[in-house]
Amino acid sequence: MAYKLYYLDLRARGEPVRWLLKVLVQAYTEERISVFTQWPQRKKDFEFEVTPVLEVEGQQLHQTTVICRYLGQRHDLTSHDLWTRTRQEEVMEALHDVSNIVSTAFIARVRGDDAMAKGDAEKVKVKLAVVIRNIETRITEQGWILAAEMTWVDVCVAAYLDIYEEILGQDLLTGHPRTAALLKNVRSLPQISAWISERPGWTKFEDPEGLF
């Protein structure tokens, strides 16, 4: 099966889906929609008027966690214990709380509200520190979040951490060795290493320069 991913021309919430599709070695195409010039006209094409959207056998699947959970379960990269799966997904939702603040910072900058943009950027640092502290406590001796083997959650969490490390700097995970090792291990997977070397750079909207 070939999937089709629809997302804005950003990393953000689309990047975990991309990483997971690549780790699963699933063929897919992607339509990148310009956040500035195309999105206002294209949003009506999607049932909930949001992206990312994964097209599966002609049907739309919305929301990052839902998409990634589906892919992980369909392609057997998931924990088979309900409680473990649920606790793993807590981490994903906590990272989405952070991404919401990041988005408001970028939107404020576009609107020229520098004070709000800077204020939200500081909130990101505070919130993310709490999330990373909790991720660290959930990583097992085997190196994965609440599991002995890698699951889809590890891949998606690493994709987010990759973004935030680029935004906030290489010392983001200082003092959190297990989290740093998880990110390193996922980045070193051949499919991810290749993607990192070839993916598009930051677009104007999400370029962190001068904000974080």
Side-chain angles (χ1 to χ4, degrees), residues 10 23 35 40 47 57 82 109 117 138 141 150 167 193 212:
L10 310 172
V23 168
V35 67
E47 293 169 356
E57 299 177 348
L82 176 60
R109 181 173 62 180
R138 298 188 185 200
E141 292 183 0
M150 185 178 74
I167 288 176
S193 178
F212 290 93

Side-chain angles (χ1 to χ4, degrees), residues 21 23 45 52 68 98 114 122 150 155 157 164 166-167 189:
L21 285 164
V23 168
D45 294 342
C68 292
V98 177
D114 293 338
E122 290 303 313
M150 185 178 74
V155 177
V157 166
Y164 292 128
E166 283 210 41
I167 288 176
L189 295 171

Side-chain angles (χ1 to χ4, degrees), residues 100-110 116-117 120-121 124 211-212:
N100 289 339
I101 307 172
V102 174
S103 295
T104 60
F106 287 141
I107 292 170
R109 181 173 62 180
V110 169
M116 182 176 179
D120 284 337
V124 168
L211 182 57
F212 290 93

Side-chain angles (χ1 to χ4, degrees), residues 8-10 32-40 203 205-206:
L8 305 173
D9 55 346
L10 310 172
R32 293 169 63 87
I33 302 166
S34 170
V35 67
F36 287 119
T37 63
Q38 295 177 302
W39 178 241
T203 63
F205 177 82
E206 66 177 348

Side-chain angles (χ1 to χ4, degrees), residues 139-144 147 178:
I139 297 177
T140 64
E141 292 183 0
Q142 292 86 2
W144 308 111
R178 291 191 175 190

Side-chain angles (χ1 to χ4, degrees), residues 17-73:
V17 183
R18 298 179 186 115
W19 280 38
L20 186 55
L21 285 164
K22 292 179 184 300
V23 168
L24 294 171
V25 195
Q26 293 300 307
Y28 77 98
T29 57
E30 179 176 356
E31 182 175 343
R32 293 169 63 87
I33 302 166
S34 170
V35 67
F36 287 119
T37 63
Q38 295 177 302
W39 178 241
Q41 293 75 39
R42 291 298 310 280
K43 65 189 303 183
K44 295 292 186 181
D45 294 342
F46 307 107
E47 293 169 356
F48 289 94
E49 300 186 9
V50 296
T51 57
V53 168
L54 187 69
E55 189 173 276
V56 182
E57 299 177 348
Q59 298 187 69
Q60 295 183 3
L61 193 60
H62 300 72
Q63 304 294 349
T64 302
T65 300
V66 173
I67 292 168
C68 292
R69 183 194 303 121
Y70 167 80
L71 290 170
Q73 292 181 353

Side-chain angles (χ1 to χ4, degrees), residues 20 77-79 88 144-145 147-156:
L20 186 55
L77 193 67
T78 187
S79 171
Q88 288 171 328
W144 308 111
I145 298 172
E149 297 180 344
M150 185 178 74
T151 70
W152 68 265
V153 175
D154 298 298
V155 177
C156 295

